[in-house]
Amino acid sequence: MRNTRALAVAGAAVAALGLSAPAAVAWETPSNITALPSVIAPGGQLTITVDGCRGGGTATSNAFSPTRLSPAGGGGGGKGNEGDRGGAGSGTARGTAVINSNARPGSYDITVDCNGRRMTKPQAFTVIGGVRGGIGGSTTTGATPTDVAIGGGLVAAAVVGGGVFWMRRRAERRI
């Protein structure tokens, strides 16, 4: 019986130590780079958030100029136990980048330099191409003359079929 209790206490101690170790490491190294919105057009503003970046840092990408990341939060007294709420003790840094107007459509990585450490998140966000607006009927895609002829033929067949059906129903009522 004593062996079972000793094993249970030892197991609980190992579990508590194992669960607290990743939390301690998270404060020292940048992690969880988030870019919002994840799909953006050239010229748009991208908000970058990095966990584990207490003193701020720099975010870089091929789609925008190097952007300063500042410690997030404010107020809160700096208690250091505010978890993921983004308070003064959370170790989260944020910054806003403006996507270059000449950025090509596609996925882009973000590299963060923070606390003397470097981390890259591949395919962190996607730049979309511009839309072709104002072209109206001058575009070459769409219905061809053959498509229009087929559609017109089907409409004509439906009108003739409806007329025949209506005439037959009318003739049956007279009898």
Side-chain angles (χ1 to χ4, degrees), residues 28-49:
E28 298 175 8
T29 58
S31 63
N32 194 28
I33 299 172
T34 306
L36 292 175
S38 61
V39 178
I40 191 166
Q45 290 188 345
L46 184 72
T47 301
I48 303 164
T49 306

Side-chain angles (χ1 to χ4, degrees), residues 73-79 82 87-89:
K79 297 176 184 172
E82 295 178 24

Side-chain angles (χ1 to χ4, degrees), residues 128-147:
I128 57 173
V131 296
R132 289 178 25 181
I135 294 176
S138 65
T139 183
T140 58
T141 59
T144 63
T146 306
D147 295 334

Side-chain angles (χ1 to χ4, degrees), residues 8-9 13 16 34 36-37 42 47 53 60 63 65 76 80 99 102 135 140 142 153 156 159-161 174:
V9 169
T34 306
L36 292 175
T47 301
C53 190
T60 57
S65 301
I99 304 300
N102 60 350
I135 294 176
T140 58
V159 168
V160 169
R174 284 193 221 173

